[in-house]
Amino acid sequence: MDDLLNRTRAAVWHPCTQMKQLEASPPLAIARGEGAWLVDPEGRRYLDAISSWWVNLFGHCNPRINAAITDQLGRIEHVMLAGATHAPVVELSERLATLTGLGHAFYGSDGASATEIALKMSAHYWRNSGQPEKNGFISLKNGYHGETVGALSVTDIPLFKSTYAALLRHTVQVPTPDARLAEPGESGEAYALRCADALEAHLAEHAADTAAFIVEPLVQGAAGMAMYHPAYLTRVRELCTRYQVHLIVDEIAVGFGRTGTLFAFEQAPPLSLAESGIKTVRPDFICLSKGITGGYLPLSAVLTTDDVYAAFYGDATARGFLHSHSYTGNPLACRAALAVLDIFENDAVIAANRVKAQDFTDILAEVSAHTRVRHFRHLGMIWAFDVVDAKPGFAARFHRAALAQGVFMRPIGNTVYAMPPYVTSADEMRGLAGAIQACLDDPGI
Ligand SMILES: *Cc1c(COP(=O)(O)O)cnc(C)c1O
């Protein structure tokens, strides 16, 4: 195993990692996985409490997803999607359209590419509609939409962004509705609506050169699982409609059941706009990735409205959407995604998770009452809290201490969170709660 760690240090450049720190804090070598567990070459087991960076839904080596991919391997592993098509991509597109209310699925390979696609499509829509000056973007303070150059332009995490500032396009950040920032005595809802007013003030002046507002619905993951009131989404839908700016909903982290509904935007209270006819909140673009394949294969999708699609439809090639990736609509990834949708349907996962989430919240009651814990929060299958007395290096120390307890976690700053696979049992959750408790009880962490 030491050999593998030496070789990874020499040959692999790990993501979001100061490689020098790998000397003191080597990566966990994983030989196999099973349900919610990761297993190292010596057979030690670690509970994957953060679903391998939020991608895993139904456990590692899930027999049903394995079977779907294996079956697809015997048919066609990949064919380019320009000039060809195949059943898995067609079926997946049809099913995502039924589930989201948006269609015309355009595929990429990861979350950041979905953000790029949505931004380009939005600006190109306005160009095709005779308003090329509408090409600016608005995002939330502390928002995260990926780290390629275009996506990083709408991301607002200083650690990821400031070094590359010179490469980025100027975008505007509006206040985050993060409920922790409410004034004393102010409800999370009142605070969220106050933040929406700030968006309106910006739109009132700048809508003419703004293409879209991009937002993580209900939870800003990379900001440290910042949660906010769903009324914000309804209000921004109304504002985007009024000011003719696209609403891009980035469901990359929270889609596929994480927040308790299949998609987070579904929790937005109905629109009050009488004239629109449609009452439910519907984005202009939805970005999906991460859980879409159950954490098996890289795949992302952007879905949009008939109106956006129609603006690209015509005789001129340059009026069409000019974007492609070699692995667009990869059949193996699409089959994994179809198997994931089958599991949601056949096992009534959303309803089952509702019960499970309540049990898990009860199991975490003692953790939530710990003296070092502030802002304990929960939504669907996400639990998070901030550690009040966290000293520099807290996240790394907590990570190592949790590993010693048989749990794989990576706090974000002073925020500890659990985002377990949906197959996690109450017993496994009790083990996780005990491990977190033990880490918090150690004043050296
Ligand atoms: C992870 C994430 C992305 C980027 O996805 P990658 O696959 O890592 O490029 C974009 N938006 C949100 C909300 C995310 O959590």
Side-chain angles (χ1 to χ4, degrees), residues 67-141:
I69 296 172
T70 308
D71 176 72
Q72 188 59 40
L73 271 173
R75 297 170 190 272
I76 175 75
E77 77 299 331
H78 183 70
V79 59
M80 63 190 285
L81 202 63
T85 192
H86 50 84
V89 78
V90 173
E91 196 188 326
L92 180 60
S93 306
E94 289 170 350
R95 287 176 72 176
L96 290 176
T98 305
L99 293 169
T100 62
L102 296 188
H104 315 290
F106 195 100
Y107 292 91
S109 314
D110 47 43
S113 62
T115 300
E116 303 282 350
I117 289 161
L119 298 179
K120 280 178 72 177
M121 231 181 225
S122 172
H124 195 164
Y125 168 93
W126 294 115
R127 182 185 171 83
N128 281 352
S129 309
Q131 292 175 270
E133 65 290 349
K134 277 175 81 69
N135 59 36
F137 299 107
I138 309 172
S139 60
L140 283 185
K141 187 98 194 100

Side-chain angles (χ1 to χ4, degrees), residues 220-364:
Q220 291 183 289
M225 301 300 153
M227 299 182 184
Y228 65 83
H229 197 280
Y232 183 76
L233 294 175
T234 306
R235 186 87 180 103
V236 302
R237 170 68 281 176
E238 288 169 347
L239 292 174
C240 287
T241 304
R242 183 174 328 142
Y243 289 95
Q244 297 209 357
V245 163
H246 288 138
L247 174 60
I248 303 173
V249 168
D250 176 351
E251 296 257 2
I252 290 165
V254 294
F256 301 98
R258 260 305 151 192
T259 65
T261 44
L262 191 59
F263 299 106
F265 78 87
E266 295 169 26
Q267 293 181 43
L271 292 163
S272 56
L273 284 180
E275 71 269 23
S276 72
I278 303 167
K279 287 250 168 175
T280 49
V281 167
R282 206 181 59 156
D284 298 296
F285 297 89
I286 301 175
C287 301
L288 302 172
S289 189
K290 289 203 165 100
I292 192 171
T293 62
Y296 267 67
L297 289 161
L299 180 72
S300 62
V302 177
L303 302 159
T304 190
T305 61
D306 292 346
D307 176 44
V308 167
Y309 181 74
F312 289 79
Y313 204 80
D315 294 321
T317 303
R319 200 178 169 84
F321 186 49
L322 306 168
H323 190 94
S324 58
H325 295 287
S326 313
Y327 284 99
T328 296
N330 174 261
L332 293 171
C334 289
R335 273 302 291 278
L338 289 168
V340 163
L341 294 180
D342 286 344
I343 295 174
F344 269 106
E345 232 172 83
N346 297 336
D347 296 6
V349 171
I350 296 295
N353 277 1
R354 207 165 292 145
V355 178
K356 198 169 255 205
Q358 184 55 57
D359 284 353
F360 288 8
T361 301
D362 294 344
I363 288 168
L364 287 168

Side-chain angles (χ1 to χ4, degrees), residues 144-159:
Y144 182 90
H145 303 286
E147 292 167 60
T148 53
V149 172
L152 194 56
S153 297
V154 288
T155 285
D156 185 48
I157 308 277
L159 176 65

Side-chain angles (χ1 to χ4, degrees), residues 9-83:
R9 275 196 288 262
V12 181
W13 201 332
H14 288 261
C16 202
T17 299
Q18 168 49 265
M19 291 298 289
K20 188 169 185 208
Q21 284 168 7
L22 283 197
E23 313 245 337
S25 199
L28 196 58
I30 295 304
R32 57 191 189 84
E34 172 182 290
W37 296 88
L38 299 165
V39 187
D40 79 6
E42 270 124 41
R44 273 188 298 264
R45 293 156 62 84
Y46 303 89
L47 187 73
D48 188 357
I50 54 172
S51 297
S52 290
W53 252 351
W54 326 344
V55 301
N56 194 288
L57 302 185
F58 300 119
H60 297 281
C61 293
N62 181 291
R64 286 188 272 179
I65 305 174
N66 283 11
I69 296 172
T70 308
D71 176 72
Q72 188 59 40
L73 271 173
R75 297 170 190 272
I76 175 75
E77 77 299 331
H78 183 70
V79 59
M80 63 190 285
L81 202 63

